[in-house]
Amino acid sequence: MAAPLTTVPTVPPGRASRRASRPSTQHQRFNTRAGRAFDVVNVVLLVAVGLLALLPFLYVLAGSFATELEITTRPFFLWPRDFTTDSYASILSSDAFVRAFVTTVVVTLVGTLVQLALTALMAYPLSKVDLPGRRTIMTVVVFTMVFSAGMIPTFLVVKQLGLLDSYWALILPMAINPFSLIIIKNFFQQLPQELEESAKIDGAHELQILRHVVIPLSKPVLATFALFYAVGIWNDYMSPLLYLNDQDMWTLQMFLRQVTASASLSAQDMGAELPPPAQGIKFAVVIVATIPVLLAYPFLQKHFAKGMLIGSVKG
Amino acid sequence: MRTRRLAPLALLAVGSLALAACGSGGGDGGDGGGGGEALDSLSIMAPYFSATPPEDDDPVGAKLSELAGLDLDMQWVPNAEYGDRTNVVLAGDEIPDVMVIQQKSQGFVQTAEAGGFWDLTEYLASGDYPNLVTENPDVQQASSVNGKVYGVYRARDVVRTSITIRKDWLKNLGLEEPTNTDELMALAKAFTEDDPDGNGKDDTYGMIIPAWGASIGTGSPYDAIETWFGAGNVWKDEGGQLIPSFTTPEWKQALDYEKQLIENGYVNKDYATMDGSTQWNEPFLNGKGGIIIDVQSRASQLAGLFKEKDPKTYDQFVALQGNIAGPNGDFALPTPGYSGFLAVPKASVQTEEQLKQVLTALNELSSTEGQVLENNGIEGDNFTVEDGFAVNDESKQDYTDLVSGSWAQIGTNVAGYEAYKPKPETEYDAELEQERVDLQAKDLEKAVFNPGAALVSETYMTNGVQLDQVIADARIQYISGQIDEAGLDAAIAQWKSSGGDAVTAEMNELYGQLG
Amino acid sequence: MTAVVDVEQAGTPAPAAPPAPRRPHRGWARVVRYRWLLVMMLPGILYFLLFRIWPMWGAQIAFKNYVPFLGIQGSEWVGWHHFQEFFSNPDFPRLLGNTLILAALSLFVAFPLTIVLALLLNEVRLSVLKRTVQTLVYIPHFLSWTVVVSLTALLFAIGTGPLSSFLDGLTGTETNYLADPDWFRPLILLQTIWKSTGWGTIIFLAALASVDQEQYEAAVIDGAGRWQRTWHITLPAIRPTIIVMLILQTGEILNTGFEQIYLMSNALNRTVADVFDTYVYFTGIQQGAYSYSTAVGLSKAIVGLVLIFGTNWLAKRFNQQGIF
């Protein structure tokens, strides 16, 4: 693994090196023989890793279209013998599901925006080393990261604030994740100060600097945490359980959790003669819960790829 | 000029907090409690098992409200999260009029003992509410907290333990259903060694046992065998004293029997890790294993899967046998006979008049009419009655499932189950159902009830799960050969020293008080 | 106005400019100078006060015998009782050992792998492929532990699973890997790597996306090879992120997570599988014993806090940007 630390060029001779030594573009700069060999190995490796990540998901997908008998009798398959959409029909048939789906999408979108805005607004001032009170605030933030008061005290506060049976109860109690706050703050801190300073000399207001200098430069990290927050809200089943009495307001996870959790942690219910939820339905639930978040990803991904365009900001 | 563009951002942030601050100010006390005046609605918190809970305008709900004489205000909670929700509700101040309590958890017992729930013992005994008078006083006693009945229990079949056997394998080998543990061992051996499927290959084994939670007395195959051997049921009364069943010699004898099953390879090799909720049926269906000790409904579930495979021959694979005799006598392992109970919190139901109102409503909900609504649905709509059985309308099966997964959860049926059973589709289904009923009657006579079921020991309340785990783990470690008899004794000694002795002492004190 | 140079900015890729002497701003002057930034922070501060600090008064139940019905105020004080019970537990050393070993495996094996995967992804030039693989490796993050554990059971099923058969072939004996105490930790690590490595790369990729492409161009002109570019440009660029993630991870050292371990543990591997999180579940949460679980949570938080401050101090000592 030891990488040569020397700055002497180690490019092997040959046509490749000649090409590489020309003023290069993205596509030319690694075209050495070793470079190409690495590329091949790397691509093969990453494709393998990708497949490894994908296969189990495909199994779940196949299972969600299979009959109960097939799931019970065949250990692993990627294509169901008897194709059926019964599992999806039994999930999607109810109005409650459709309503919950819409609710969840809206709450997730609004919530992500609110949470990200609050986090960025707090992270930016904290990225200034000289800010009065910074150390105290950071200590508190770190403490709240390692210790949360627990379910019941938080419930009592949310209730006190009159947030019960309000969608804000799904958004505000988790509005600023201390972990996200710290990472975002550190990214802000790493930005070149000169840009901010020159904006200041041009007479820009702090909010304007945040909006027009800092945020554009931090798009990748903000997109990342948008995804984190969105996934957090999307997967949250505890908040709706605790804070929403009105079942018309419930989010998707309240229903999905019912199907997936009942078989694992409380399998041995000695009560009613109810068969556990069918495996196929559980698989379908996993798919329904996962696909929308996976689909959201490419939309955010374009912000990762570009990198920061310092030039354009300067201009 | 550019400030205008960041206005929404700021507005969003500030606005969200403003919204938070005003929120919903005036929404307190949804239920009818308040002062001492009569209730005008009945709020009930209950778990549901169906995919979604019933909607607010559910027809069964409307009919039940009519029947109860009070508007039912249901608070449905997904079953998986019911425990958490219960504790949070108890901590808040919007407590429903009636709560389904699923288990005598520390939170519930402490609340009850602090006076948070009505003691219903006298009210239920008075006979004023005939549908709430138990047909099985043992079960009601078991559901109590040290003799005090805090809720109307939700009745379940008392006998469910049974042995499900591959019928075709029995036939191939010319064997009979086992009637005692020796014959069961012999059957397991034959299923393993004598090629019961006749394919000439050594690819079968006898008994299918899944991994079980680290608990004892929860109806596992091990628990059943131990009871058959005469080790009692969790606790055993010996000369008026309660002793833990795992300190009896019969328990060790049973463990050696289990160990023999494992050592000889009569059991699936992954007995310590197999996921019972998803994989238990698979070896039976695929003809790898032939014996399952579990609840009776396992047999009908398996028959249903065989039917899906081939409706013509499905009646040839599943045989059902009940509890069998052991070397020390003939015993049967019963269930607790109930699954939680409906309790009435004092925070919302404050006066005796209100309590009587609640009990009157519950009495109506437990009437025959109420039970049919809760368990079957609406006659003429989602089901019809034929020969005293319910025939479900297939096009409305989703609704039938919804009803049995939700409304059935507020049914108590303590005075007897009066709703319709589903009509068996075929003669074989009817046979299986009849066999089940017969076995229940036969096994009830020899059922060994847990003498300590009603008793709540304080030490057990705090340490019980840990203590049970010590024994449950030692059991598996012993039969797997990971520890020897000395190791087993050490585990029992550890149980005693880390709180078990205190539990035994407390249980006996309460046992003495209860008489 | 003079630029305020951030002296903590040792992590920037460019060679650190000699720090300009920091002009001392004291007291009120500093507040005035930063007034708009302070105003900007108000919603966040309000959030922490309302939803993070206010509920903390409820943490007093760690010193009480909390009964939900009696309320936090009404429950009886028991002092350090719950803490004593936790620390004097005969199993405590074993729980601590098991917890630390699993934490170490995740810190020293799973965490570096995340960085390696991020670097490898960064080297892919074909952007379609890069994006596809990136999306694929996130998928496991969204599958619940229940699904992951049942897939593990499938792969390692005794005698029949593809991986267990393979391993049996190597060793020549048939083993139930799911029940073998020696295999518990490798399996947990394998699952953790499978489920979280891809997702973990996301933060590093965000950091890598911020690296100025011009630096690579310049390095190529200087004739730097791939390793050199990785070593001298890429790694320094994400070093601050790596350090912050490391610091934050040490604070989580006692949190192994509950569900995965609970689902993977059984009677035969419990000696190595018991960790604080499962223990608290069995003794506290499952029985609704909130006081006890709060006491354990508080103890763990204090350890986490000490570790975070400690590693942060160490990072500063080595002239790295800490989390403060």
Side-chain angles (χ1 to χ4, degrees):
Chain A
M1 280 283 294
L5 280 168
T6 157
T7 50
V8 177
T10 52
V11 185
R15 281 195 316 176
S17 74
R18 249 177 285 136
R19 218 187 297 154
S21 64
R22 284 204 301 265
S24 62
T25 66
Q26 268 284 92
H27 290 282
Q28 285 176 319
R29 60 181 219 241
F30 299 126
N31 276 351
T32 62
R33 199 179 306 145
R36 254 178 283 148
F38 173 84
D39 276 339
V40 171
V41 173
N42 190 24
V43 166
V44 170
L45 188 74
L46 286 177
V47 168
V49 167
L51 286 180
L52 217 59
L54 183 65
L55 274 181
F57 186 74
L58 289 181
Y59 167 64
V60 174
L61 188 66
S64 71
F65 287 107
T67 60
E68 199 56 18
L69 183 70
E70 186 169 358
I71 299 170
T72 321
T73 48
R74 277 178 82 186
F76 186 88
F77 56 93
L78 295 175
W79 197 257
R81 256 185 237 134
D82 301 318
F83 189 86
T84 167
T85 51
D86 285 358
S87 300
Y88 289 96
S90 82
I91 297 180
L92 301 173
S93 64
S94 107
D95 290 345
F97 262 113
V98 179
R99 193 174 52 215
F101 191 89
V102 175
T103 305
T104 313
V105 169
V106 173
V107 171
T108 304
L109 286 177
V110 174
T112 306
L113 230 54
V114 170
Q115 296 184 340
L116 199 62
L118 283 172
T119 311
L121 280 175
M122 187 164 185
Y124 179 59
L126 283 174
S127 71
K128 303 292 170 210
V129 188
D130 243 7
L131 190 84
R134 180 173 180 271
R135 242 201 118 74
T136 318
I137 295 172
M138 285 308 296
T139 309
V140 169
V141 167
V142 172
F143 185 71
T144 60
M145 183 177 65
V146 292
F147 182 71
S148 74
M151 189 173 78
I152 291 180
T154 311
F155 168 81
L156 293 175
V157 166
V158 171
K159 187 168 128 47
Q160 205 93 48
L161 291 171
L163 290 178
L164 289 189
D165 277 328
S166 148
Y167 285 124
W168 289 114
L170 310 186
I171 298 170
L172 294 180
M174 296 180 304
I176 303 181
N177 180 309
F179 170 83
S180 311
L181 178 70
I182 292 170
I183 304 261
I184 293 179
K185 182 218 79 160
N186 271 53
F187 266 93
F188 288 168
Q189 215 162 311
Q190 287 168 40
L191 296 175
Q193 296 292 305
E194 308 87 56
L195 291 172
E196 291 177 46
E197 291 306 326
S198 62
K200 215 174 223 174
I201 291 162
D202 291 347
H205 191 272
E206 310 278 5
L207 259 178
Q208 285 171 315
I209 297 178
L210 178 63
R211 171 73 181 80
H212 296 290
V213 179
V214 177
I215 287 180
L217 289 175
S218 315
K219 264 191 186 160
V221 72
L222 290 177
T224 302
F225 284 97
L227 189 59
F228 279 19
Y229 277 136
V231 170
I233 301 175
W234 182 270
N235 284 342
D236 185 15
Y237 64 89
M238 215 55 193
S239 302
L241 173 79
L242 298 180
Y243 306 138
L244 301 182
N245 283 317
D246 183 355
Q247 68 190 52
D248 289 344
M249 294 177 74
W250 282 0
T251 56
L252 204 55
Q253 289 297 335
M254 281 290 275
F255 300 121
L256 301 187
R257 181 80 192 164
Q258 169 77 346
V259 181
T260 49
S262 52
S264 54
L265 292 185
S266 57
Q268 287 144 20
D269 170 61
M270 316 246 318
E273 292 264 347
L274 289 164
Q279 280 285 96
I281 293 183
K282 273 193 260 175
F283 287 157
V285 158
V286 171
I287 298 297
V288 169
T290 317
I291 292 283
V293 214
L294 285 179
L295 289 182
Y297 179 69
F299 290 103
L300 292 165
Q301 200 177 29
K302 64 170 184 249
H303 295 294
F304 301 167
K306 291 284 179 273
M308 64 182 199
L309 306 163
I310 291 183
S312 67
V313 175
K314 273 178 186 161
Chain B
M1 17 129 220
R2 275 186 156 179
T3 18
R4 225 178 295 152
R5 273 211 243 148
L6 40 107
L9 195 79
L11 259 178
L12 203 56
V14 176
S16 62
L17 283 162
L19 259 170
C22 6
S24 54
D28 54 295
D31 50 73
E37 69 272 18
L39 304 173
D40 49 13
S41 72
L42 185 69
S43 53
I44 304 180
M45 178 171 132
Y48 70 89
F49 287 81
S50 42
T52 55
E55 301 272 344
D56 291 336
D57 56 356
D58 186 83
V60 168
K63 294 220 170 194
L64 284 174
S65 293
E66 209 175 290
L67 189 66
L70 282 173
D71 210 14
L72 293 191
D73 171 18
M74 295 302 301
Q75 296 176 13
W76 295 110
V77 178
N79 178 61
E81 264 72 48
Y82 197 78
D84 279 334
R85 178 77 198 178
T86 307
N87 280 307
V88 167
V89 164
L90 288 176
D93 50 16
E94 284 170 42
I95 298 178
D97 302 325
V98 174
M99 283 173 90
V100 171
I101 297 293
Q102 287 187 317
Q103 50 177 333
K104 291 185 252 175
S105 70
Q106 194 173 4
F108 169 74
V109 172
Q110 283 174 334
T111 303
E113 285 179 342
F117 288 97
W118 285 92
D119 178 354
L120 303 180
T121 321
E122 298 300 320
Y123 297 97
L124 296 182
S126 70
D128 293 348
Y129 313 100
N131 297 332
L132 303 181
V133 175
T134 176
E135 60 167 354
N136 198 335
D138 282 342
V139 174
Q140 174 162 307
Q141 179 75 356
S143 76
S144 73
V145 175
N146 301 327
K148 285 189 179 166
V149 181
Y150 285 108
V152 185
Y153 71 88
R154 304 188 299 167
R156 296 292 183 262
D157 286 344
V158 174
V159 174
R160 295 177 72 194
T161 307
S162 68
I163 311 176
T164 307
I165 307 166
R166 278 290 290 232
K167 202 172 165 183
D168 54 328
W169 288 10
L170 281 176
K171 202 175 141 212
N172 289 351
L173 298 177
L175 293 168
E176 294 291 313
E177 289 176 8
T179 57
N180 61 46
T181 48
D182 286 341
E183 287 172 24
L184 181 66
M185 179 69 81
L187 186 68
K189 182 177 158 65
F191 276 4
T192 309
E193 294 170 356
D194 299 348
D195 192 20
D197 55 2
N199 67 355
K201 283 187 236 154
D202 179 19
D203 59 356
T204 57
Y205 55 83
M207 199 180 290
I208 312 162
I209 302 181
W212 209 262
S215 52
I216 47 178
T218 47
S220 69
Y222 308 111
D223 292 322
I225 292 173
E226 287 147 20
T227 298
W228 296 341
F229 268 73
N233 180 357
V234 188
W235 293 92
K236 194 176 181 185
D237 182 331
E238 287 220 331
Q241 285 286 306
L242 288 183
I243 58 165
S245 71
F246 52 83
T247 57
T248 61
E250 292 88 350
W251 189 76
K252 262 194 188 159
Q253 199 184 348
L255 248 62
D256 283 325
Y257 176 89
E258 292 159 8
K259 191 177 163 74
Q260 200 186 336
L261 279 171
I262 305 272
E263 269 178 355
N264 293 340
Y266 302 161
V267 175
N268 50 310
K269 290 171 194 153
D270 55 353
Y271 61 93
T273 52
M274 177 200 261
D275 180 2
S277 65
T278 57
Q279 294 174 311
W280 208 348
N281 292 334
E282 188 261 335
F284 197 94
L285 280 177
N286 284 350
K288 286 186 261 174
I291 306 168
I292 290 179
I293 302 177
D294 191 32
V295 293
Q296 293 172 327
S297 52
R298 176 72 54 189
S300 26
Q301 210 184 90
L302 283 165
L305 284 165
F306 277 114
K307 193 193 258 175
E308 218 179 291
K309 232 175 169 177
D310 185 358
K312 286 190 211 89
T313 59
Y314 85 102
D315 56 351
Q316 295 162 21
F317 297 102
V318 181
L320 186 64
Q321 172 64 302
N323 288 272
I324 54 176
N328 308 309
D330 196 1
F331 309 103
L333 175 66
T335 70
Y338 72 100
S339 170
F341 39 82
L342 271 61
V344 186
K346 279 189 180 164
S348 45
V349 178
Q350 289 161 346
T351 65
E352 202 174 348
E353 273 59 50
Q354 290 178 336
L355 175 66
K356 287 183 173 164
Q357 240 188 312
V358 170
L359 289 174
T360 308
L362 290 182
N363 187 54
E364 291 305 322
L365 292 178
S366 295
S367 63
T368 304
E369 199 185 340
Q371 289 191 26
V372 170
L373 284 166
E374 286 153 8
N375 292 288
N376 301 117
I378 293 173
E379 189 176 341
D381 181 43
N382 68 313
F383 79 100
T384 50
V385 178
E386 265 174 46
D387 316 326
F389 287 108
V391 177
N392 294 330
D393 180 345
E394 259 178 50
S395 66
K396 292 184 175 162
Q397 188 59 39
D398 281 347
Y399 188 69
T400 309
D401 291 345
L402 174 79
V403 170
S404 60
S406 58
W407 291 110
Q409 293 297 312
I410 62 166
T412 61
N413 318 332
V414 287
Y417 185 82
E418 307 280 345
Y420 302 106
K421 295 202 163 172
K423 189 179 164 85
E425 283 176 28
T426 65
E427 207 168 301
Y428 174 69
D429 289 348
E431 252 171 56
L432 213 56
E433 180 58 30
Q434 190 54 47
E435 208 173 343
R436 188 169 147 163
V437 173
D438 292 347
L439 284 173
Q440 287 190 354
K442 199 178 111 225
D443 284 352
L444 188 60
E445 288 164 23
K446 53 179 190 175
V448 182
F449 289 94
N450 173 4
L455 310 177
V456 176
S457 130
E458 201 165 312
T459 310
Y460 186 81
M461 214 70 290
T462 49
N463 291 342
V465 179
Q466 282 291 96
L467 288 171
D468 283 356
Q469 193 183 341
V470 170
I471 300 300
D473 283 356
R475 167 161 71 191
I476 305 292
Q477 287 162 7
Y478 177 73
I479 63 175
S480 77
Q482 203 181 63
I483 58 172
D484 58 8
E485 199 179 341
L488 188 62
D489 289 337
I492 294 173
Q494 189 200 338
W495 180 87
K496 286 184 174 165
S497 65
S498 51
D501 276 339
V503 172
T504 311
E506 287 165 13
M507 290 293 282
N508 274 302
E509 201 191 321
L510 293 164
Y511 195 53
Q513 282 168 12
L514 215 60
Chain C
M1 207 185 254
T2 329
V4 179
V5 174
D6 189 345
V7 286
E8 290 186 356
Q9 246 201 273
T12 40
R22 202 198 309 187
R23 178 178 292 178
H25 294 286
R26 279 211 199 80
W28 195 239
R30 248 179 9 159
V31 174
V32 172
R33 181 182 151 82
Y34 285 112
R35 62 192 180 280
W36 291 115
L37 287 175
L38 290 171
V39 169
M40 198 188 284
M41 219 168 39
L42 277 181
I45 290 179
L46 193 62
Y47 162 78
F48 273 91
L49 287 177
L50 282 181
F51 292 104
R52 298 271 176 174
I53 309 292
W54 188 7
M56 294 261 178
W57 75 271
Q60 58 174 291
I61 63 174
F63 304 93
K64 288 188 154 190
N65 196 5
Y66 175 60
V67 180
F69 169 71
L70 297 177
I72 294 173
Q73 229 82 58
S75 298
E76 142 208 36
W77 285 98
V78 294
W80 295 95
H81 173 79
H82 299 297
F83 292 87
Q84 275 165 358
E85 202 164 302
F86 176 52
F87 287 108
S88 66
N89 179 341
D91 284 335
F92 185 85
R94 188 169 58 90
L95 294 172
L96 182 67
N98 288 341
T99 306
L100 289 181
I101 290 172
L102 287 177
L105 284 176
S106 122
L107 195 62
F108 295 118
V109 183
F111 182 68
L113 277 180
T114 310
I115 299 169
V116 170
L117 182 62
L119 291 177
L120 291 180
L121 276 169
N122 192 49
E123 293 296 323
V124 176
R125 281 180 283 154
L126 199 61
S127 88
V128 181
L129 182 75
K130 183 175 172 180
R131 288 184 181 207
T132 313
V133 174
Q134 246 172 290
T135 311
L136 292 184
V137 296
Y138 293 150
I139 293 176
H141 172 78
F142 296 101
L143 298 181
S144 68
W145 280 119
T146 321
V147 175
V148 177
V149 169
S150 50
L151 288 168
T152 312
L154 210 65
L155 293 172
F156 287 90
I158 180 163
T160 57
L163 289 180
S164 50
S165 312
F166 174 74
L167 289 168
D168 285 343
L170 291 182
T171 56
T173 51
E174 197 175 80
T175 314
N176 186 357
Y177 296 94
L178 299 167
D180 189 336
D182 293 338
W183 276 90
F184 177 76
R185 284 167 189 147
L187 286 180
I188 291 283
L189 180 65
L190 219 62
Q191 289 177 334
T192 307
I193 290 173
W194 184 77
K195 190 167 185 310
S196 60
T197 306
W199 183 247
T201 59
I202 192 170
I203 286 181
F204 296 111
L205 288 173
L208 286 168
S210 306
V211 178
D212 184 358
Q213 293 300 319
E214 283 169 24
Q215 284 189 54
Y216 285 112
E217 308 292 326
V220 170
I221 292 166
D222 290 347
R226 194 192 291 263
W227 275 119
Q228 287 165 316
R229 288 189 294 263
T230 304
W231 193 258
H232 292 294
I233 303 172
T234 315
L235 270 178
I238 60 169
R239 189 171 57 204
T241 312
I242 295 177
I243 290 168
V244 169
M245 295 296 287
L246 262 180
I247 294 174
L248 295 180
Q249 278 235 336
T250 56
E252 294 287 309
I253 225 162
L254 296 181
N255 302 328
T256 43
F258 160 73
E259 213 180 348
Q260 177 194 14
I261 300 203
Y262 172 80
L263 292 172
M264 284 295 288
S265 61
N266 53 59
L268 299 181
N269 66 15
R270 192 106 50 207
T271 44
V272 293
D274 268 341
V275 292
F276 288 130
D277 287 341
T278 51
Y279 171 78
V280 169
Y281 176 80
F282 282 122
T283 49
I285 296 163
Q286 204 184 30
Q287 312 216 32
Y290 289 99
S291 286
Y292 189 74
S293 29
T294 308
V296 175
L298 206 54
S299 312
K300 281 181 11 180
I302 288 164
V303 174
L305 209 58
V306 168
L307 285 171
I308 287 184
F309 276 89
T311 44
N312 189 56
W313 176 81
L314 261 179
K316 289 276 182 73
R317 278 292 304 261
F318 287 99
N319 234 354
Q320 301 294 330
Q321 179 184 16
I323 57 171
F324 290 91

